[in-house]
Amino acid sequence: MGSTRVSRRTVFRRIAQRQYGEWPAYDSTPLYGRTSLAGLESDIRTVSETWFDHESHDSIEEFVCVFPLAYFRFSAHDRYAGPTRYQMDTLFRVFVLQECHGWEHETALVDYLGDRPELCEQLGFETIPDQSTLWRSWHERFTADLRETVETAARTILIKAQNAGVAVPREPARKLRYHGDESGESDPDDQTTLGQAEKITDHVSRIVFPAFSLERGDGCEIHENAYWGLQTYLGLRESLAANEGARSFTYESTRERTPLGHAHRDHIRDLSIAEIREMYRQAVNTLLSEVEETEEFFRAGIIAIDITEADPFTGDRTGHEDEIIGTKEKTDEYAYQWATVQLVGNAVPIVLDARPVQKGESRLEIVKDLLDSAEEMLHVDNVLMDREFDSQHVLEMLSRRGLSYVVPKRMQTSEKAQAKRLLRRDQDRYETDRKLHLGKNEWHETTLIYRRKEDSEHDDHRQYSVFMSNCGSGHLTEYGYRWEIESGYKSIKRFMAATTSKDFGLRFFYFAFACLLYSIWRAVDLLVQVELTGEYEHSPIVTADNTLTLLKKETGIG
């Protein structure tokens, strides 16, 4: 099979309708231009992922030939000044094709093209260049950065095609390659780890931060990166507010112009909650596309949905009663609350989405919203939630989506009675089916699993916990993965800028950006571990402080 006008239109319509991400990259953010190689790499990643999912698209070579390049300006990466016979975009395609096949010498490429006149026509060759022309074009005409982009593009195409079940000419390397990387120690020392982390942090920040935009228009004297640099800087120290941070940032930054604290806040206040979430999801989707290219990243997996709260609010909340709501423990205190969905289990713990929680919102509404985001980005198998989500309507919604769940149940009279019977029998575990009433004579069928806690401080029925699951007790051990989301919240709050403002959008942005910094840290750690050891262990070898320090260098500090 091959692509048709209809199949190509279908692919690009899907890309245009994607909820998280736009194409081409240079047109969706002021941080990428038409000469940006990082933008070109992002576009190849975006298009190839959707292209090979189409049942008619089963050819690597065809994708290389038809990928849109007319918008990209290769002239900035062309070291030849005079007239040339072959266009840069044509050479770019043919070198991507060579890299896809893994040929080290141009002779194999020339022979391959010589046997395929139809492919040459698709590539735009009237005559096939000889070996010496191709050698000079690669080594003398292409810049080193453009050659690196060719290698990255080929690797991305191979991985996306292989993930879609398309035959590939060679096995793609599932490890990222960075120039100057000569480390290969199985037990890397601190200096080696930091050196690798610096390369990877540079790479990750270049592809993630452009998802954020303040829509300030053209001609602004202060580069938009300076705003994200300041926000990252605020996350470097605990309880650092924008005004104080902006003054310090002025002295530590290498930029000529940096934003003032009030200007920084004003621009953020102009962003709506929906805009902040859209930018966040676009950034995380790009981050996922990067880490999924390693064998150690488990894209299909387990997610945890939870709610966290800010420090108790002690001021006057008049006019903000719908935003500064009660605490989860139902005390007499008030606080802002944020809900998140995060990867847990074997996957790197990335926060996929975040949203504010407002008065009157049901748990069903919150779970639906976050689950829609998660399933848009990746395949979900199992959902873990805390007992505040033990609603029968939430559980029924998960089952109807074909998802398994494990949720602790609040113990009511019947559960307490059963726990007392188990205690008398000295029984550690018990399972029983239960129907939960949905209304209108409709029921949700689930399984209650009683489990005795080890070393419990209680000597009565409180020794037992009760869980609800639609997949049996075999998945109960997975609930232990939920601790990751709690430990993650501690780091996220550590990355938040301080503020006394009651502006809901500003508060949420600070939380969302802290979630992004946390996710970048965990992604960088995974990539560093894979690069240096070939494996991934959940215990980070790159610290959060190291990652933030490296990020501040990439955004213009120091």
Side-chain angles (χ1 to χ4, degrees):
M1 290 185 289
S3 70
T4 63
R5 180 178 297 180
V6 173
S7 71
R8 291 192 292 271
R9 184 169 62 242
T10 299
V11 166
F12 287 102
R13 181 179 289 128
R14 287 177 185 169
I15 293 171
Q17 294 173 344
R18 282 190 356 159
Q19 192 172 358
Y20 316 127
E22 297 183 31
W23 175 86
Y26 84 90
D27 202 32
S28 60
T29 168
L31 299 186
Y32 282 152
R34 294 180 66 179
T35 62
S36 169
L37 292 173
L40 177 58
E41 292 172 12
S42 175
D43 287 344
I44 290 173
R45 184 180 299 109
T46 297
V47 178
S48 61
E49 186 171 40
T50 306
W51 178 273
F52 291 113
D53 277 341
H54 195 287
E55 60 182 7
S56 298
H57 298 170
D58 56 3
S59 169
I60 293 283
E61 293 177 352
E62 184 177 40
F63 177 81
V64 173
C65 292
V66 303
F67 176 79
L69 288 174
Y71 70 90
F72 188 77
R73 293 176 178 168
F74 283 97
S75 56
H77 311 282
D78 185 355
R79 293 192 290 189
Y80 282 6
T84 55
R85 184 172 185 179
Y86 299 104
Q87 298 297 317
M88 285 287 286
D89 60 337
T90 301
L91 292 171
F92 178 83
R93 293 184 196 277
V94 79
F95 286 131
V96 169
L97 182 62
Q98 176 177 333
E99 185 67 23
C100 282
H101 281 273
W103 296 319
E104 295 184 3
H105 303 289
E106 293 77 15
T107 302
L109 174 61
V110 173
D111 292 342
Y112 189 81
L113 295 175
D115 294 334
R116 292 164 177 78
E118 185 176 336
L119 174 60
C120 292
E121 183 178 349
Q122 289 179 301
L123 288 168
F125 284 127
E126 294 182 3
T127 60
I128 301 174
D130 57 28
Q131 182 271 336
S132 61
T133 299
L134 289 172
W135 188 94
R136 288 194 303 272
S137 297
W138 178 255
H139 292 278
E140 298 177 2
R141 187 174 182 182
F142 276 35
T143 63
D145 288 341
L146 183 56
R147 293 197 297 269
E148 183 179 356
T149 293
V150 168
E151 295 167 357
T152 300
R155 178 177 170 275
T156 295
I157 293 167
L158 290 173
I159 288 175
K160 299 303 183 186
Q162 189 177 60
N163 288 348
V166 173
V168 294
R170 68 175 176 89
E171 185 72 19
R174 295 270 177 169
K175 289 178 65 178
L176 301 181
R177 289 183 293 178
Y178 300 92
H179 288 288
D181 175 22
E182 298 175 355
S183 60
E185 296 89 349
S186 58
D187 186 19
D189 56 28
D190 291 345
Q191 195 60 43
T192 301
T193 299
L194 284 177
Q196 195 66 31
E198 183 168 14
K199 298 187 187 80
I200 294 176
T201 303
D202 173 32
H203 176 75
V204 167
S205 63
R206 283 192 294 115
I207 67 171
V208 170
F209 281 123
F212 280 77
S213 174
L214 293 173
E215 300 292 341
R216 296 180 301 148
D218 300 327
C220 297
E221 294 184 8
I222 301 178
H223 196 285
E224 193 155 292
N225 261 352
Y227 289 87
W228 312 134
L230 173 56
Q231 193 66 42
T232 304
Y233 182 75
L234 298 177
L236 283 169
R237 306 180 200 167
E238 292 189 65
S239 303
L240 184 61
N243 281 342
E244 179 188 353
R247 287 191 291 269
S248 301
F249 184 66
T250 300
Y251 296 106
E252 293 197 43
S253 173
T254 58
R255 298 182 181 278
E256 294 182 4
R257 296 289 304 276
T258 58
L260 298 175
H262 70 85
H264 180 71
R265 290 195 305 273
D266 287 346
H267 279 304
I268 291 174
R269 288 193 189 101
D270 288 339
L271 297 172
S272 67
I273 298 293
E275 288 172 328
I276 295 170
R277 290 188 67 191
E278 174 65 25
M279 291 188 297
Y280 182 87
R281 290 180 296 221
Q282 185 175 339
V284 168
N285 209 36
T286 304
L287 194 61
L288 288 174
S289 294
E290 191 69 20
V291 297
E292 73 163 346
E293 297 181 4
T294 66
E295 290 178 337
E296 289 72 20
F297 176 72
F298 294 83
R299 191 169 180 83
I302 308 168
I303 61 169
I305 294 176
D306 208 346
I307 293 176
T308 188
E309 56 197 30
D311 293 334
F313 186 85
T314 56
D316 180 10
R317 67 186 190 105
T318 302
H320 299 272
E321 291 89 348
D322 291 343
E323 302 162 355
I324 309 173
I325 58 180
T327 62
K328 294 197 297 178
E329 298 300 325
K330 307 301 182 183
T331 66
D332 57 356
E333 296 180 321
Y334 296 95
Y336 291 93
Q337 291 188 13
W338 322 112
T340 64
V341 56
Q342 177 177 315
L343 279 172
V344 293
N346 290 323
V348 57
I350 289 174
V351 179
L352 302 174
D353 193 12
R355 73 185 307 279
V357 178
Q358 293 182 269
K359 185 178 180 180
E361 289 183 314
S362 69
R363 292 298 185 254
L364 177 61
E365 181 181 354
I366 292 169
V367 173
K368 274 185 176 180
D369 185 16
L370 293 175
L371 195 54
D372 285 343
S373 291
E375 292 193 303
E376 178 79 16
M377 295 180 191
L378 44 78
H379 177 75
V380 176
D381 288 325
N382 198 0
V383 182
L384 308 178
M385 295 179 290
D386 202 354
R387 57 176 42 88
E388 65 184 301
F389 294 99
D390 69 350
S391 159
Q392 61 267 38
H393 296 283
V394 171
L395 304 183
E396 176 67 11
M397 181 269 293
L398 295 175
S399 289
R400 287 181 177 177
R401 292 189 184 215
L403 301 173
S404 58
Y405 62 78
V406 178
V407 182
K409 187 182 188 307
R410 285 170 281 203
M411 295 183 74
Q412 307 297 340
T413 302
S414 61
E415 287 80 38
K416 291 177 182 177
Q418 181 62 62
K420 291 176 182 178
R421 286 192 291 269
L422 295 175
L423 183 61
R424 288 196 298 269
R425 300 173 194 159
D426 196 25
Q427 187 172 340
D428 292 335
R429 186 182 289 257
Y430 175 73
E431 291 185 32
T432 182
D433 292 335
R434 173 74 64 85
K435 288 186 177 181
L436 305 176
H437 190 227
L438 296 170
K440 296 182 180 180
N441 202 29
E442 294 182 334
W443 303 82
H444 173 73
E445 296 184 4
T446 190
T447 299
L448 297 190
I449 306 168
Y450 292 77
R451 186 177 66 177
R452 198 175 195 170
K453 306 171 190 174
E454 295 181 5
D455 302 321
S456 174
E457 61 183 18
H458 302 289
D459 58 5
D460 57 10
H461 70 277
R462 288 175 292 178
Q463 294 181 35
Y464 292 88
S465 296
V466 185
F467 294 86
M468 295 182 292
S469 178
N470 60 352
C471 52
S473 61
H475 287 264
L476 199 58
T477 54
E478 294 180 347
Y479 192 76
Y481 293 139
R482 260 204 79 263
W483 71 268
E484 295 174 4
I485 204 167
E486 298 295 345
S487 61
Y489 280 148
K490 293 180 182 179
S491 296
I492 289 166
K493 291 175 181 178
R494 152 75 177 81
F495 296 158
M496 286 182 65
T499 183
T500 58
S501 172
K502 286 183 281 190
D503 186 275
F504 199 42
L506 180 70
R507 287 268 186 170
F508 176 61
F509 180 87
Y510 280 8
F511 178 76
F513 200 86
C515 287
L516 181 64
L517 294 178
Y518 171 79
S519 299
I520 290 174
W521 163 42
R522 298 309 302 255
V524 166
D525 177 69
L526 176 143
L527 296 173
V528 169
Q529 288 194 45
V530 170
E531 192 69 20
L532 294 181
T533 70
E535 298 178 350
Y536 174 60
E537 299 292 339
H538 267 66
S539 180
I541 65 172
V542 180
T543 67
D545 285 341
N546 284 341
T547 304
L548 282 180
T549 301
L550 295 170
L551 277 174
K552 74 174 186 175
K553 292 176 64 177
E554 302 308 325
T555 47
I557 312 169

